[in-house]
Amino acid sequence: MNLFRRTKHAPIAPLSASGHNQAPVPLVDEYDPHRRSTVGLDLMTYEQLDEFGRELDAVRQRVLDDLGQEDADYIRRVLRAQKWFEVVGRIGIFLPIFPPAFIAGVICLGISKILENMEIGHNIMHGQYDWMNDPMIDGKRYEWDNVAPAHDWKHGHNYIHHTYTNIHGMDRDIGYGLLRIDEDQPWYPSHRFNLPLSFVLMLFFEWGVMYHGLEVSDYINGRMSKEEFKEHKARALKKVRRQVFKDYVVYPGLALALVPVMGWSAPLWVLGANFVANLIRNIWTFLIIFCGHFPAGAETFPEEAAQNETRGQWYLRQLLGSANISGSKLMHLMSGNLSHQIEHHLFPDIPARRYAEVSVDVKRLVEKYGLRYNTGPLPKQLMSVARQLAMYSKKPSDPYKVGNSPESKALRRAKREAKKAYQAA
């Protein structure tokens, strides 16, 4: 018997994403299936909206049919690059005795964390690469380098935010429950501090994302049970302990080996380097997210207007509620291609590296239907966001827009009662 005889193996099936679909669905009114959404009727007819939807569906399917080995190779290259940046960064921060190496280490570690959160973690957890059937980049299993648990982030972001994008009362990402960034948000005295609060949020953005995922307001308002809230807290605490232990205990602990050479400051240098790397990642992530969602021109919508929207209306809502950031290929890579925020909101489960290609078709359709495509360089979009935050920090003269005024309270109460009556009818 020849133990070294060659055996024939079945050919490996080529990768295919043609049937891949984790796209959000349009908003449906379960109480009145005959009600028609009014989103976009000031810009297009129902017939045009339906055609707009079909054309974007065709763009989506064309990209899905074309996905394959090249896309798989790309995400694996990014994964390798991120790991190398992390390795080089970790080595560098253990050399504070040699400042150039130490500074380079901090920068490399910051780049590693940006790549992992933006181009890798965010996009993988959207299911953009689930069609590869690779457990290492499976959106259902992936856990990112962030204090926010992936499970809660995916519910709040993939489902809530991407389904109910910019709908008041449904999309909790409008101001993150902290800031007033839209005229239709009620103003409260805390909003006077829009700019300083946004600066603090920028520095500790991952912690803000973690707190956001707890959905405390839903628990307080009775939309979440006590048991469910305890589960959220338990997941968050577990993830926080893991991240803090890794960055601020394990690596500084390893630096104790340097004490004979550098003295007792060695662990503090490593702890500080990890803190600064996280700070770099937080600031960059905040800038990309806010410039893609809150510059002037990004529209919001009332809940009643979006009920029973068509696919075309859902697409239009994503287009009108998002903004892009123009820049180089490096800029797009470091932003996780969320610099193409419009294309991301249109096609959140398509690999983000395809958004530049998709943007050509989106711009063609925008021109065809006379729509607006909100884009600009990072400084321009950032200044626009800052102006919005400053403008909406001022107390409105209209009492119906002041959250704690009798008029505003009466208006919200009337809306709640009307919604209950409508649902009971």
Side-chain angles (χ1 to χ4, degrees), residues 17-25 60-61 64 126-127 131 311 349:
S18 293
H20 173 71
N21 185 12
Q22 293 192 28
V25 297
R60 168 187 168 79
Q61 192 59 50
L64 289 176
H126 261 295
W131 50 272
R311 185 69 176 163
D349 63 335

Side-chain angles (χ1 to χ4, degrees), residues 221-238:
N221 293 322
R223 294 190 295 267
M224 179 190 294
S225 68
K226 187 175 182 179
E227 292 71 24
E228 190 178 359
F229 183 61
K230 284 183 177 179
E231 291 178 5
H232 279 242
K233 282 201 302 181
R235 276 193 299 270
L237 287 172
K238 181 180 179 181

Side-chain angles (χ1 to χ4, degrees), residues 93-94 249-260 263 266-271:
I93 66 174
F94 276 80
V249 178
V250 173
Y251 286 109
L254 292 174
L256 289 171
L258 300 175
V259 169
L268 296 178
W269 281 106
V270 172
L271 186 149

Side-chain angles (χ1 to χ4, degrees), residues 116-128:
E116 195 282 330
N117 270 199
M118 304 293 278
E119 182 71 339
I120 298 172
H122 173 275
N123 294 337
I124 286 176
M125 290 191 296
H126 261 295
Q128 292 181 4

Side-chain angles (χ1 to χ4, degrees), residues 171-180 185 188 190-191 197 211-212 217:
D171 183 3
R172 296 185 302 110
D173 283 16
I174 299 178
Y176 294 93
L178 178 68
L179 308 169
R180 184 172 186 252
Q185 281 180 272
Y188 290 96
S190 63
H191 291 142
L197 283 174
Y211 181 79
H212 192 54
S217 61

Side-chain angles (χ1 to χ4, degrees), residues 134-156:
D134 183 341
M136 296 294 292
I137 46 179
D138 182 349
K140 296 181 288 295
R141 306 181 193 182
Y142 193 87
E143 185 63 68
W144 58 352
D145 180 25
N146 194 298
V147 295
H151 179 280
D152 296 329
W153 180 85
K154 284 185 286 189
H155 177 261

Side-chain angles (χ1 to χ4, degrees), residues 18-63:
S18 293
H20 173 71
N21 185 12
Q22 293 192 28
V25 297
L27 189 61
V28 174
D29 186 345
E30 59 183 303
Y31 299 99
D32 186 0
H34 303 293
R35 182 179 187 173
R36 301 193 77 178
S37 168
T38 58
V39 168
L41 289 185
D42 56 329
L43 301 170
M44 305 160 74
T45 65
Y46 280 118
E47 292 73 20
Q48 288 175 317
L49 284 163
D50 288 340
E51 181 61 22
F52 181 66
R54 284 191 292 270
E55 290 184 274
L56 282 171
D57 279 341
V59 171
R60 168 187 168 79
Q61 192 59 50
R62 190 199 73 230
V63 175

Side-chain angles (χ1 to χ4, degrees), residues 71-242:
D71 301 276
D73 292 342
Y74 168 82
I75 191 61
R76 287 171 178 146
R77 283 198 305 272
V78 175
L79 282 162
R80 286 195 297 271
Q82 182 267 324
K83 290 301 181 187
W84 274 111
F85 272 111
E86 182 176 10
V87 169
V88 172
R90 294 293 180 194
I91 293 172
I93 66 174
F94 276 80
L95 298 172
I97 198 169
F98 184 48
F102 179 78
I103 294 170
V106 174
I107 293 171
C108 285
L109 189 55
I111 291 172
S112 167
K113 286 177 174 287
I114 288 172
L115 284 173
E116 195 282 330
N117 270 199
M118 304 293 278
E119 182 71 339
I120 298 172
H122 173 275
N123 294 337
I124 286 176
M125 290 191 296
H126 261 295
Q128 292 181 4
Y129 295 95
D130 283 5
W131 50 272
M132 289 172 55
N133 297 315
D134 183 341
M136 296 294 292
I137 46 179
D138 182 349
K140 296 181 288 295
R141 306 181 193 182
Y142 193 87
E143 185 63 68
W144 58 352
D145 180 25
N146 194 298
V147 295
H151 179 280
D152 296 329
W153 180 85
K154 284 185 286 189
H155 177 261
H157 183 81
N158 293 6
Y159 173 61
I160 300 294
H161 174 57
H162 276 274
T163 300
Y164 309 124
T165 308
N166 287 19
I167 296 178
H168 284 284
M170 303 192 78
D171 183 3
R172 296 185 302 110
D173 283 16
I174 299 178
Y176 294 93
L178 178 68
L179 308 169
R180 184 172 186 252
I181 51 86
D182 185 80
E183 185 179 16
D184 291 327
Q185 281 180 272
W187 181 92
Y188 290 96
S190 63
H191 291 142
R192 290 193 179 97
F193 308 102
N194 253 1
L195 286 171
L197 283 174
S198 63
F199 181 77
V200 173
L201 178 61
M202 177 179 69
L203 298 181
F204 301 99
F205 193 59
E206 64 172 323
W207 294 90
V209 173
M210 180 275 293
Y211 181 79
H212 192 54
L214 289 174
E215 302 182 19
V216 176
S217 61
D218 282 359
Y219 173 62
I220 293 173
N221 293 322
R223 294 190 295 267
M224 179 190 294
S225 68
K226 187 175 182 179
E227 292 71 24
E228 190 178 359
F229 183 61
K230 284 183 177 179
E231 291 178 5
H232 279 242
K233 282 201 302 181
R235 276 193 299 270
L237 287 172
K238 181 180 179 181
K239 188 66 189 296
V240 166
R241 285 195 296 267
R242 171 180 163 181

